Amino acid sequence: MSVLQIDDLHTYFDTESGTVRAVEGIDLTIEAGEIVGLVGESGSGKSVTASSIMDLVQHPGRIADGTVRYDGQDVLSLSEDELAELRGGEISMIFQDPMDAFNPTQTVGRQLHDVLRSHREGSVHPLVRALGLDHDADCKAAVVEMLDAVGIPNPEARYSDYPHEFSGGMIQRAMVGMALLCDPKLVLADEPTTGLDVSIERQILGLFKDLVEELDTAVLWITHDLSVVAKLCDRVVVMYAGKVMEVGSTEAVLSDPASPYTQALLDSIPRYDRPDEEMYVMEGDVPDPLNRPDGCRFADRCPEVHDRCHDHHPPRFDTGDREVACYLAEGDAE
Amino acid sequence: MSEDARSYTNVKWRVYRRIRTDLIAKLGAVIVVFSIAMAAFSIVDDFLLSELVIETLLHDPYELNPNNRLAEPSLAHPFGTDEQGRDILARVIYGTRTSIIVGVGSVLFAAIIGVSLGIVTAYYGGLVDNVGMRAMDVLLAFPAILLAIALLASLGRGFTSIIIALGVAYVPSFARVTRSKALSVKSDEYVTAAEVMGYPTRDVLVDEILPNCFTPIIVQGTFTLAVAIIAEAGLSFLGLGVNPPTPTWGIMLSGAQQYITTAWWYSLFPGLAIMVTVLGFNLLGDSIRDALDPQSGGEERRL
Amino acid sequence: MSRLLRYLLGRLLWAIPVLLGASVVTFMIMQLTPGDPARFILGQRASQEAVMELRRELGLHQPIFVQYVDFVFHAAQGDFGQSLQTREEVTAMLLQRIPYTAQLSIAGLLIAVVVSFPVGVIGAVREGEAADHASRVGALLGISTPNFWLGLLLILVFAVPLEAFPIFGMTLVTEDPIAAVTSTLLPAIALGTAQAALLTRLLRGGMLDEMQEGYVRTARAYGIDNRETTYVYVLKNAVLPTITVIGLQLGALLGGAVIVEQVFGIPGIGRLAIQAIFNKDFPVIQGVTMLVAVTFVAANLLVDVLYAQLDPRIRLGGSER
């Protein structure tokens, strides 16, 4: 059984100017111990997909259609209490801006402690915890151990530091620590290295690879950066304007993209090995989310567009090593 | 350079749209317009027509009637009469002008000084800023109403005194609001451009920086008006406001206090007039703030 | 820790020029009065000798700078001279009346806090629902109602029909605790309502802002109990800035007390000040003005200290995000 199986997920936002269809029919599966990259430009629906997996989408957003199965369980039909157990316990999320994700007036250690404590048996009343009356020595020891494991030097002392006393790289490590604290089976990492400099990014990626290998955790790694995907992920899902454009093994997709959109994404990466080549800039804009074309979402910007691309968004064609939502792949479909 | 003009029209349009669409904003605008109309009416009727209109419609607000003291509300006197037999409704209507004149006057006084100070301190910074802001801190060391009372102790009673006294008390809030906005405007491109092009400092301050500070100033002004109306009524209630027999809501309430056990209407209606008027300005202030800048309002109000 | 100390020292250094400035303003009250204050005080019919006598007593024959230094020198020792009306020491008069104003203001603040917290929190938690609308309308009415009129209404509705509440005067808690409560309740409500309304608006807005913060999303994503997040972390972070406002509100409370004392006939410093103004009793006016300024500045220093203690970002330094 897959750790995560998403079928035909639709997540909409009802705004004053109309309904924004952020996610429109996403299918996605993740197996245990697998790192899957979810790639796309900003506004493609990556983060909304991640929020939908834990049923975290809030008003005015709503999951309009589709199912999310975690370990065979229908997540979207769970009660608030059951969801609370799942969130942070079984599935955890790493946020893009970790400094923003921590409470500025609580120590980092305390915040990790509270997460662990709320997922352990015999949880105490929230008020007791709030008053700081439930300092659990076991939990604290576990948190310190985790801070150490994610490579924060001097974890015992840093336990009682506040978020603003951490550097960008260190707070991201603490965030990773928080995500792995309850031995989750699935980690949703939303652009966790964006904004970090390259050397810290490399450290975090390495850290992640090691930890995942050790704990056999599945990871959905959301990014707009294909070079990170190439370094880290087993499989890659390419999203555009709320739709999946191409899914397959990282190697296959990146070395020989079948969708013109994936090709365009690859072409717009600056190539240091070929500095003379002019960098490719994708023409046009991401379609207005309020007013998306009926046909292929990418048709207006696609260099290989055909007439029928404007009529219907193409179905996904299985070409053996991948699935591609493009009429170009129709002939290769099995 | 059209930035300021554009943002100002934009401001007007956004406020206008808010008032058109939002029921609460509409209510506030209606109350405010109504009170200003009442104030204007009473000024014209009193000084040009010698109470002709109000006497025809209701009663002369100044006319004493010893035979009809503290009469309960009736058809003839919808709000009853006071201890001198004067019609309370007519006096409440005439009282609007004191509140509006003092309110608008003190806010204009405070705004002119405060805004100039805010822009100048923000623009020059350094010692000017330090001295100016310390001076504001000094004024802020007194509760606004107490500062006004202390100033009235030396200025004496009357319209001008009370406008100055309240005006001085409200200067710091305008100075602070303007300064913080001007500080962010100062570094904007078009201000730098104007400086580089050698515009005189006065022009940079007045033509470039000032129009871009309008938003918080307007919001602050509306809220301060509400506070000033309450303060004027309070000072009049204490006997420190304008001179009798000018009808004011505060003086009426001060008279009503003695008859609290016997004439409930005397305390009720003038106070209701204050509350409704102030509510109008507060509603309008809220709407303007929400329409212009949902993120930050004016400075905290001082009562 | 040294950072905290430096912060506190900075606040203290801020207070000194502010208080000096306040003393200038206070001193100027008499100077700004048009004409000869002595003649002003004694009236047109007083003899020239009497006027000269008073001028000497007030030190008006000296250069203005000397007068000011003299004023500050004495004021710093808590000496504001004698009342021109009763010949009593101003300081003694103030000391006698401070307890009444203190009792009224503290009770008013208490009411403001006790009312605004639950109402503000409910408004934020139930945003857009009936309870929220009710609390917002209530708060709007609260800030729009003049305290003295509210006082009159309370007298009309409660004190007139119910004998338990006196219409006039106030009993100190040291004299008779029960009578103190009944005699303080109505004036405190009159005084505290506007502050309660302001705090309610602030707290509601603050909580709604905090609920948009990243850590609330994190807590939800990590299965932390929603009530815990709302009532503990969000509330705490929303209350922090409110504390500084409570300091500022103390000024509004003291100012409001001046008027409310007049409505309920409470013999506090406000009533003293109003009488002094009618009697042109300048030393008393100056004493009251300076006392209020010192209290207000001291209260704000206290609040700063408290705030610094509670907010780790100030206590431990680091960049504001």
Side-chain angles (χ1 to χ4, degrees):
Chain A
M1 197 186 306
S2 311
V3 173
L4 181 74
Q5 185 175 355
I6 303 177
D7 287 305
D8 200 29
L9 179 73
H10 289 71
T11 305
Y12 295 167
F13 287 79
D14 300 314
T15 69
E16 266 177 45
S17 19
T19 300
V20 174
R21 290 173 294 174
V23 172
E24 272 185 283
I26 296 279
D27 303 309
L28 181 71
T29 49
I30 303 179
E31 307 297 332
E34 192 182 29
I35 305 185
V36 175
L38 183 58
V39 194
E41 292 166 276
S42 27
S44 58
K46 300 171 305 220
S47 296
V48 175
T49 304
S51 305
S52 303
I53 292 170
M54 285 207 272
D55 200 6
L56 278 171
V57 179
Q58 276 187 300
H59 182 80
R62 63 192 160 91
I63 295 176
D65 202 4
T67 54
V68 176
R69 287 186 185 281
Y70 166 78
D71 234 2
Q73 228 177 339
D74 183 1
V75 174
L76 302 181
S77 67
L78 293 179
S79 70
E80 261 316 297
D81 284 346
E82 289 167 322
L83 276 172
E85 251 172 68
L86 192 75
R87 294 170 181 161
E90 304 280 321
I91 309 177
S92 63
M93 175 111 85
I94 297 174
F95 293 100
Q96 188 171 353
D97 179 357
M99 198 58 98
D100 189 51
F102 280 100
N103 183 348
T105 62
Q106 282 273 321
T107 64
V108 168
R110 182 81 206 169
Q111 293 179 59
L112 265 69
H113 171 279
D114 286 356
V115 166
L116 191 55
R117 191 79 180 83
S118 68
H119 287 285
R120 288 216 168 159
E121 289 295 308
S123 193
V124 293
H125 190 274
L127 194 65
V128 177
R129 180 157 56 235
L131 294 172
L133 300 177
D134 74 322
H135 271 298
D136 186 310
D138 284 351
C139 282
K140 185 180 171 176
V143 169
V144 171
E145 202 179 306
M146 179 54 79
L147 292 178
D148 190 37
V150 293
I152 293 176
N154 207 359
E156 192 87 39
R158 305 244 56 184
Y159 182 90
S160 25
D161 278 353
Y162 288 88
H164 71 265
E165 296 173 277
F166 280 69
S167 67
M170 282 301 144
I171 197 75
Q172 186 58 281
R173 282 165 186 264
M175 183 86 239
V176 172
M178 189 157 163
L180 299 174
L181 204 54
C182 303
D183 295 334
K185 289 196 189 142
L186 173 63
V187 174
L188 311 173
D190 190 356
E191 309 222 14
T193 56
T194 306
L196 297 180
D197 66 51
V198 184
S199 66
I200 294 172
E201 176 185 283
R202 195 182 310 124
Q203 288 173 23
I204 299 272
L205 292 186
L207 171 78
F208 229 86
K209 254 187 152 159
D210 294 348
L211 291 170
V212 163
E213 218 155 274
E214 206 175 306
L215 304 166
D216 201 31
T217 308
V219 177
L220 182 66
W221 189 280
I222 298 169
T223 181
H224 60 266
D225 187 348
L226 284 174
S227 62
V228 171
V229 172
K231 280 178 232 163
L232 189 71
C233 302
D234 306 315
R235 278 195 308 132
V236 59
V237 179
V238 180
M239 263 185 96
Y240 184 76
K243 296 259 187 196
V244 172
M245 305 301 277
E246 186 166 5
V247 188
S249 76
T250 307
E251 207 194 323
V253 172
L254 295 192
S255 61
D256 180 24
S259 158
Y261 177 64
T262 314
Q263 183 65 52
L265 269 185
L266 275 169
D267 286 344
S268 39
I269 301 175
R271 295 288 292 263
Y272 300 106
D273 51 336
R274 276 178 262 165
D276 301 336
E277 223 168 86
E278 203 172 311
M279 207 179 92
Y280 172 83
V281 179
M282 221 184 295
E283 275 177 30
D285 292 311
V286 181
D288 178 2
L290 283 168
N291 191 19
R292 284 188 174 145
D294 292 330
C296 175
R297 300 294 183 268
F298 189 56
D300 290 340
R301 302 168 80 184
C302 184
E304 297 177 61
V305 62
H306 292 266
D307 284 348
R308 64 168 170 167
C309 297
H310 289 294
D311 298 336
H312 295 286
H313 188 80
R316 242 172 301 151
F317 302 107
D318 191 338
T319 61
D321 62 347
R322 75 191 74 184
E323 288 179 28
V324 192
C326 180
Y327 291 116
L328 291 175
E330 197 172 6
D332 303 328
E334 290 174 349
Chain B
M1 220 125 313
S2 63
E3 176 88 11
D4 42 2
R6 190 188 58 75
S7 75
Y8 185 58
T9 343
N10 200 9
V11 162
K12 278 198 295 192
W13 189 77
R14 262 146 67 198
V15 171
Y16 174 70
R17 188 177 65 163
R18 185 91 189 180
I19 288 172
R20 278 290 302 277
T21 54
D22 185 3
L23 198 71
I24 298 287
K26 210 179 274 178
L27 181 65
V30 166
I31 294 174
V32 166
V33 169
F34 182 73
S35 354
I36 293 173
M38 282 295 115
F41 160 74
S42 73
I43 292 171
V44 171
D45 193 46
D46 197 358
F47 298 113
L48 295 180
L49 307 171
S50 6
E51 297 94 45
L52 183 72
V53 177
I54 200 153
E55 210 182 333
T56 319
L57 294 174
L58 283 163
H59 299 275
D60 181 345
Y62 300 108
E63 190 191 7
L64 309 181
N65 188 350
N67 299 324
N68 200 18
R69 285 188 181 137
L70 298 173
E72 278 194 41
S74 61
L75 272 179
H77 301 281
F79 286 5
T81 66
D82 67 9
E83 78 275 26
Q84 316 244 35
R86 293 174 294 196
D87 183 64
I88 292 179
L89 175 57
R91 289 183 70 75
V92 164
I93 291 174
Y94 262 44
T96 319
R97 65 166 183 235
T98 313
S99 297
I100 297 293
I101 291 174
V102 171
V104 171
S106 57
V107 165
L108 279 181
F109 183 98
I112 290 169
I113 298 181
V115 168
S116 320
L117 208 72
I119 288 183
V120 168
T121 51
Y123 185 78
Y124 288 102
L127 187 67
V128 176
D129 187 27
N130 242 312
V131 171
M133 284 301 118
R134 262 343 111 232
M136 293 303 101
D137 283 346
V138 168
L139 290 185
L140 283 173
F142 303 96
I145 196 92
L146 202 89
L147 184 58
I149 288 175
L151 290 172
L152 284 173
S154 55
L155 293 172
R157 303 176 67 149
F159 268 104
T160 321
S161 305
I162 195 165
I163 285 174
I164 293 174
L166 285 175
V168 169
Y170 299 137
V171 164
S173 44
F174 281 95
R176 287 186 155 194
V177 160
T178 311
R179 177 175 170 273
S180 66
K181 181 70 186 176
L183 276 178
S184 70
V185 170
K186 187 180 143 187
S187 50
D188 282 350
E189 257 170 56
Y190 50 90
V191 172
T192 321
E195 285 172 325
V196 170
M197 285 158 74
Y199 281 50
T201 306
R202 200 195 71 92
D203 289 2
V204 175
L205 294 183
V206 175
D207 297 339
E208 306 298 331
I209 297 183
L210 178 63
N212 286 290
C213 298
F214 273 149
T215 308
I217 295 170
I218 291 168
V219 173
Q220 183 68 30
T222 319
F223 283 136
T224 308
L225 243 161
V227 175
I229 289 172
I230 291 188
E232 183 278 324
L235 293 173
S236 291
F237 178 81
L238 294 175
L240 299 170
V242 299
N243 289 307
T246 311
T248 80
W249 298 333
I251 291 180
M252 292 175 80
L253 284 176
S254 147
Q257 194 183 358
Q258 294 175 43
Y259 305 99
I260 187 100
T261 50
T262 49
W264 55 267
W265 55 91
Y266 195 5
S267 314
L268 182 69
F269 292 113
L272 215 53
I274 303 174
M275 195 184 79
V276 171
T277 309
V278 171
L279 183 68
F281 280 102
N282 277 325
L283 287 175
L284 192 65
D286 278 357
S287 318
I288 294 178
R289 185 190 53 198
D290 293 349
L292 296 182
D293 190 6
Q295 289 305 308
S296 71
E299 202 180 67
E300 271 329 304
R301 267 168 284 176
R302 305 169 67 216
L303 289 171
Chain C
M1 264 300 136
S2 77
R3 210 195 134 85
L4 178 63
L5 274 177
R6 220 167 5 165
Y7 170 80
L8 296 179
L9 212 67
R11 298 307 293 161
L12 232 110
L13 283 176
W14 159 85
I16 291 168
V18 166
L19 283 178
L20 269 178
S23 72
V24 174
V25 173
T26 308
F27 173 72
M28 291 305 282
I29 292 170
M30 184 159 64
Q31 306 297 323
L32 275 175
T33 308
D36 181 354
R39 171 61 73 189
F40 194 67
I41 291 158
L42 294 174
Q44 289 308 318
R45 281 183 293 169
S47 67
Q48 191 59 34
E49 289 78 52
V51 172
M52 290 309 289
E53 178 61 33
L54 186 59
R55 283 183 66 84
R56 230 188 330 277
E57 189 195 323
L58 295 174
L60 292 174
H61 59 291
Q62 287 173 317
I64 187 161
F65 181 72
V66 177
Q67 289 182 48
Y68 172 69
V69 171
D70 195 52
F71 169 75
V72 170
F73 186 74
H74 283 101
Q77 303 171 32
D79 175 12
F80 294 96
Q82 290 179 342
S83 157
L84 300 175
Q85 192 71 20
T86 63
R87 296 282 149 191
E88 261 181 280
E89 286 292 327
V90 171
T91 311
M93 294 170 82
L94 290 176
L95 285 175
Q96 195 190 336
R97 284 164 170 85
I98 285 172
Y100 292 94
T101 306
Q103 181 170 315
L104 174 60
S105 305
I106 291 169
L109 185 62
L110 219 64
I111 283 178
V113 171
V114 167
V115 171
S116 65
F117 268 63
V119 178
V121 170
I122 288 169
V125 173
R126 303 233 170 279
E127 194 203 357
E129 297 174 28
D132 180 30
H133 292 310
S135 80
R136 292 178 76 184
V137 170
L140 255 168
L141 289 178
I143 54 168
S144 304
T145 308
N147 51 24
F148 56 97
W149 182 56
L150 185 59
L152 290 177
L153 287 188
L154 289 170
I155 290 175
L156 195 64
V157 175
F158 293 105
V160 173
L162 302 174
E163 260 176 38
F165 301 109
I167 294 178
F168 201 84
M170 187 163 113
T171 312
L172 288 178
V173 74
T174 46
E175 295 164 358
D176 178 352
I178 293 169
V181 170
T182 52
S183 65
T184 311
L185 187 65
L186 296 184
I189 292 174
L191 182 60
T193 297
Q195 310 309 317
L198 263 177
L199 275 182
T200 300
R201 282 164 68 107
L202 260 171
L203 198 63
R204 175 182 174 276
M207 279 190 74
L208 288 177
D209 285 349
E210 280 295 324
M211 285 178 188
Q212 303 300 318
E213 290 291 321
Y215 70 86
V216 175
R217 181 192 57 185
T218 307
R220 218 166 91 83
Y222 278 84
I224 288 178
D225 190 283
N226 194 26
R227 287 161 303 175
E228 178 179 354
T229 311
T230 307
Y231 294 112
V232 181
Y233 304 114
V234 166
L235 187 59
K236 183 192 168 191
N237 289 1
V239 164
L240 281 176
T242 315
I243 288 174
T244 55
V245 176
I246 290 179
L248 291 174
Q249 281 195 319
L250 211 95
L253 278 166
L254 287 173
V258 174
I259 304 179
V260 171
E261 283 175 11
Q262 208 70 9
V263 177
F264 287 89
I266 297 164
I269 58 162
R271 213 170 155 78
L272 179 69
I274 301 301
Q275 280 163 5
I277 284 176
F278 288 125
N279 297 331
K280 313 272 180 254
D281 200 342
F282 285 107
V284 175
I285 300 172
Q286 290 175 329
V288 172
T289 316
M290 214 50 220
L291 173 70
V292 172
V294 170
T295 313
F296 192 23
V297 170
N300 277 297
L301 273 179
L302 201 73
V303 164
D304 287 343
V305 173
L306 192 67
Y307 186 71
Q309 269 304 318
L310 292 175
D311 193 333
R313 282 163 294 187
I314 294 183
R315 186 169 77 236
L316 303 168
S319 54
E320 282 262 324
R321 283 192 294 118

